[in-house]
Amino acid sequence: MSTKESFCLAVFALLLVSSFGVKDPELKQCKHQCKVQQQFDEKQREACVRRCEEYSRQKQEREHGGGGRGSYGEEDQYWNRESPIERLRECVKGCETQRGQQRERCQSSCQKEYEKERERYEGNERQEEEGEEKQQHEENPYVFKDHHFVTGPQTQHGRVRILQKFTDRSKKLFRGIENYRLAIYEADPLTFVVPNHWDAEALVFVAKGKGTVSLVTKDRRESFNIKEGDILRIKAGTTAYLINSDQNERLVLANLMQPVSTPGNFEAFYGAGGENPESFYRVFSNEILEATFNVRRDRIEKLFGQQRQGAILKVSREQIQGMSHHEEGGIWPFGGGESKGTFNIYEQHPTHANQFGQLYEVDSSHLRSLRDLDVAVTLTNITSGAMTALYYNSRATKICVVKDGAGFYEMACPHMMSLQSQTHHEGSSQREQPGSRRESSDTPRYQKISSRLKLGTVVVVPAGHPFVAVASNNQNLQLMCFLVHANDNEKHALAGKRNVINKLEREAKELAFGVPEREVDQVFRSQEEEFFFKGPRQQHRGFSDM
Ligand code: CU
């Protein structure tokens, strides 16, 4: 069989698997999302599941017919681009620029890579399914994966994904960040996100792509060209709209939302719109609207009855040019004319940098107005095979999104032990062993919290919790983090140059460790790097897909 034939065969087999639902991970994912929607009652859940099945059926028909994409918009999503089939598609697309034999060779190597990946992927999926029930009880509450997101407005050209409320995951652990929400915006090349406002303060980080954001307040409209690494504040109630002006690249924004009306909940309000997105003008009574606009009812009905294409629309290059008359960059919308242009995290000097990684930080010392929000933004780039120092934040709780690459993290947490022992008490049959510790009177016990990190994974690291992140051996790990309660926060290193223990006097070291100072120093003074270190020689065995 020629390479070409075997390639076609692989693609065909792959279409069979994905289109006949032998295993449709998207359908599974979609149904799962229905089940975890807190605000749904049983009927709404059932309707949601039916919609998933209908999407799946339509998708099968389309794909069987030779084209089209699923309506979940899951495949090909930036945060999700990791299934073997998706990578195969990407890979094959990349071959299109080549000709003749070179193209065939390229396709053949795509296929080989795909087969290797598929084996691994299916193995992982099986393991995941087997462990699913167990995980529901033992799941790491600090890690949020794809199924912890609720999908907000979505069309075939993009979507908004909102992470579940932190306190819905654990009231105990996350009360301190109850009033913060994470939202991920994804817009396809050449698209327009229609104007709307939120009842929330928003801090926007451009994770990928470029475009233009327009903000309307009272009698001003300001437009900002945005690119990867830009940070932008959108004040609550500001009417905002967005263009992805790039022809090829998806625009991805990570937004930290701070609701101003209902703690932990925010909503989008669309004025310009019609049926979909539904315009809020439509709910007012006709008499009111006639009087408000001073025009006849039929005109109003016509205007608000047209739009049915949803909140994210495909646009032409001409339309984009028409909306791009502003100058490059604008005035940083933090008020007070603090700095010209949008603020880019990559243009700052890294706080820490060596061959093992770089840390970029933007806090209120760079931008005074971040103090109002009590938020900071960091970007950590860990070189493949390297790691961060073991450290903790004094006041801030970090909400991190894996922006690129893969790796894992470990954290020490005193809360999990007490949560588990409570569950045991409530679960009746488990008796406390004689001589075992009592929660209230003893010193704390710590549990290792760890998880694999991959594109799109969200991790919360509370203040005071010692933490380390490690990049995989073949990719850099990039973490984009919002720090909540960031004012006057300090990072305290627990290893490496300038670690906390090295600052203790001899007596304190000897008393605390119960060994001579020399032995303490042998351990705490050996690592000469600061903040980024060479990683563990053997990567974590528990995470086989690194
Ligand atoms: Cu904890």
Side-chain angles (χ1 to χ4, degrees):
M1 193 161 32
S2 77
T3 10
K4 205 170 179 178
E5 279 168 332
S6 66
F7 174 72
C8 289
L9 205 68
V11 170
F12 181 65
L14 196 147
L15 281 175
L16 273 181
V17 171
S18 66
S19 63
F20 288 109
V22 174
K23 193 171 241 173
D24 184 349
E26 289 178 59
L27 177 60
K28 195 178 140 204
Q29 170 69 29
C30 183
K31 284 179 169 174
H32 181 84
Q33 286 223 3
C34 297
K35 283 176 195 147
V36 297
Q37 302 277 329
Q38 302 279 343
Q39 70 271 34
F40 280 7
D41 60 26
E42 207 41 53
K43 262 197 176 151
Q44 285 171 312
R45 283 204 180 100
E46 280 169 20
C48 177
V49 167
R50 277 199 302 278
R51 275 200 302 277
C52 291
E53 286 166 349
E54 178 61 15
Y55 277 147
S56 175
R57 195 186 55 74
Q58 285 175 2
K59 189 186 74 160
Q60 282 170 25
E61 281 173 10
R62 269 198 305 277
E63 286 192 352
H64 195 44
R69 290 223 317 248
S71 308
Y72 315 97
E74 291 267 351
E75 56 187 25
D76 200 26
Q77 295 296 342
Y78 169 72
W79 296 106
N80 231 6
R81 190 168 290 168
E82 51 205 7
S83 73
I85 184 171
E86 188 46 46
R87 289 200 206 154
L88 176 63
R89 278 182 195 149
E90 283 283 321
C91 185
V92 170
K93 221 165 131 189
C95 298
E96 280 169 12
T97 53
Q98 297 174 21
R99 297 239 166 111
Q101 280 197 332
Q102 255 186 337
R103 189 167 175 168
E104 276 179 32
R105 268 201 297 276
C106 174
Q107 289 175 339
S108 154
S109 77
C110 289
Q111 183 210 344
K112 277 187 201 140
E113 197 49 42
Y114 155 71
E115 277 163 5
K116 261 194 273 170
E117 281 199 0
R118 193 183 60 170
E119 251 169 57
R120 216 168 50 175
Y121 188 79
E122 288 183 348
N124 287 342
E125 222 180 11
R126 217 174 303 126
Q127 276 180 355
E128 264 174 38
E129 271 169 27
E130 280 162 11
E132 208 160 49
E133 192 148 319
K134 212 171 138 201
Q135 266 178 15
Q136 287 190 343
H137 299 285
E138 295 173 4
E139 216 179 33
N140 174 352
Y142 296 100
V143 167
F144 297 80
K145 297 182 180 164
D146 204 48
H147 64 269
H148 295 109
F149 281 88
V150 174
T151 302
Q154 88 180 86
T155 72
Q156 65 195 98
H157 305 298
R159 61 177 180 171
V160 181
R161 298 164 67 231
I162 300 159
L163 191 67
Q164 69 175 155
K165 252 175 97 163
F166 293 110
T167 44
D168 283 351
R169 190 70 177 278
S170 169
K171 279 206 172 62
K172 264 208 157 114
L173 298 175
F174 298 127
R175 196 161 289 156
I177 54 168
E178 180 172 26
N179 199 29
Y180 292 88
R181 299 290 296 270
L182 183 72
I184 308 285
Y185 273 64
E186 300 168 337
D188 277 351
L190 302 179
T191 52
F192 175 67
V193 181
V194 307
N196 66 94
H197 71 264
W198 307 299
D199 53 350
E201 296 285 349
L203 191 65
V204 180
F205 179 85
V206 183
K208 204 174 172 65
K210 47 181 171 291
T212 305
V213 169
S214 295
L215 306 176
V216 185
T217 47
K218 281 193 176 168
D219 42 16
R220 276 180 88 176
R221 194 197 74 227
E222 292 174 301
S223 294
F224 306 94
N225 285 342
I226 51 169
K227 60 179 186 295
E228 186 171 328
D230 275 351
I231 300 166
L232 189 83
R233 178 186 177 179
I234 302 180
K235 288 187 175 179
T238 304
T239 295
Y241 53 102
L242 182 69
I243 306 162
N244 179 353
S245 51
D246 197 84
Q247 293 192 44
N248 304 306
E249 204 177 8
R250 184 176 278 267
L251 177 64
V252 182
L253 309 179
N255 295 9
L256 184 72
M257 312 296 288
Q258 204 178 338
V260 293
S261 163
T262 319
N265 291 301
F266 68 96
E267 296 291 345
F269 295 82
Y270 293 89
E275 276 183 28
N276 181 18
E278 190 189 12
S279 167
F280 51 72
Y281 285 110
R282 285 165 61 103
V283 304
F284 290 91
S285 42
N286 289 323
E287 299 72 36
I288 293 287
L289 291 179
E290 277 179 328
T292 301
F293 293 119
N294 194 25
V295 291
R296 281 196 4 234
R297 178 184 301 194
D298 52 341
R299 285 211 171 166
I300 297 169
E301 280 171 359
K302 195 175 165 218
L303 177 64
F304 291 109
Q306 294 301 309
Q307 183 56 271
R308 293 189 182 90
Q309 293 187 68
I312 305 167
L313 309 169
K314 199 83 186 166
V315 289
S316 67
R317 257 185 277 173
E318 292 71 37
Q319 285 169 317
I320 283 180
Q321 269 165 7
M323 288 183 282
S324 306
H325 284 312
H326 50 81
E327 290 170 25
E328 189 72 20
I331 295 167
W332 172 249
F334 270 81
E338 224 169 3
S339 77
K340 292 268 179 186
T342 42
F343 198 90
N344 193 285
I345 199 164
Y346 292 111
E347 286 160 16
Q348 311 310 306
H349 276 292
T351 319
H352 296 283
N354 61 19
Q355 57 173 313
F356 304 115
Q358 301 83 38
L359 173 71
Y360 298 89
E361 293 179 291
V362 173
D363 59 25
S364 60
S365 70
H366 303 87
L367 289 162
R368 256 177 300 129
S369 311
L370 277 177
R371 185 161 273 274
D372 306 343
L373 295 175
D374 201 3
V375 169
V377 180
T378 67
L379 193 86
T380 311
N381 177 37
I382 310 168
T383 310
S384 63
M387 63 194 275
T388 65
L390 193 62
Y391 75 100
Y392 65 92
N393 283 296
S394 61
R395 291 190 71 244
T397 288
K398 293 213 297 185
I399 303 166
C400 299
V401 188
V402 179
K403 186 182 166 297
D404 229 330
F408 68 93
Y409 88 100
E410 290 190 0
M411 179 177 88
C413 170
H415 301 102
M416 291 302 286
M417 282 296 212
S418 64
L419 282 182
Q420 274 171 2
S421 69
Q422 269 171 16
T423 326
H424 287 166
H425 281 298
E426 286 157 14
S428 75
S429 66
Q430 289 243 341
R431 278 220 193 138
E432 204 161 299
Q433 295 295 314
S436 73
R437 65 185 291 265
R438 295 183 54 175
E439 285 312 317
S440 53
S441 59
D442 216 337
T443 55
R445 299 263 312 268
Y446 308 101
Q447 182 155 324
K448 181 178 85 181
I449 305 291
S450 66
S451 175
R452 194 156 54 81
L453 301 175
K454 55 182 188 175
L455 193 64
T457 307
V458 177
V459 186
V460 176
V461 183
H465 286 54
F467 164 93
V468 62
V470 184
S472 76
N473 278 329
N474 46 30
Q475 293 176 77
N476 285 13
L477 175 64
Q478 283 190 23
L479 292 170
M480 182 267 124
C481 306
F482 291 110
L483 273 69
V484 169
H485 311 311
N487 294 346
D488 308 317
N489 178 61
E490 284 183 351
K491 294 188 300 293
H492 292 295
L494 296 164
K497 222 173 168 181
R498 282 194 265 234
N499 72 66
V500 172
I501 305 295
N502 284 354
K503 286 172 200 139
L504 307 184
E505 63 267 69
R506 180 170 64 88
E507 290 74 12
K509 282 182 204 167
E510 292 186 344
L511 286 165
F513 285 98
V515 296
E517 184 186 34
R518 178 176 37 85
E519 290 181 35
V520 178
D521 289 348
Q522 272 170 2
V523 171
F524 279 90
R525 291 190 189 276
S526 287
Q527 176 59 266
E528 285 167 0
E529 294 290 346
E530 191 182 349
F531 210 78
F532 290 103
F533 307 149
K534 190 176 174 198
R537 224 166 289 146
Q538 272 198 319
Q539 291 264 0
H540 213 292
R541 282 193 189 145
F543 308 119
S544 56
D545 54 344
M546 300 271 305

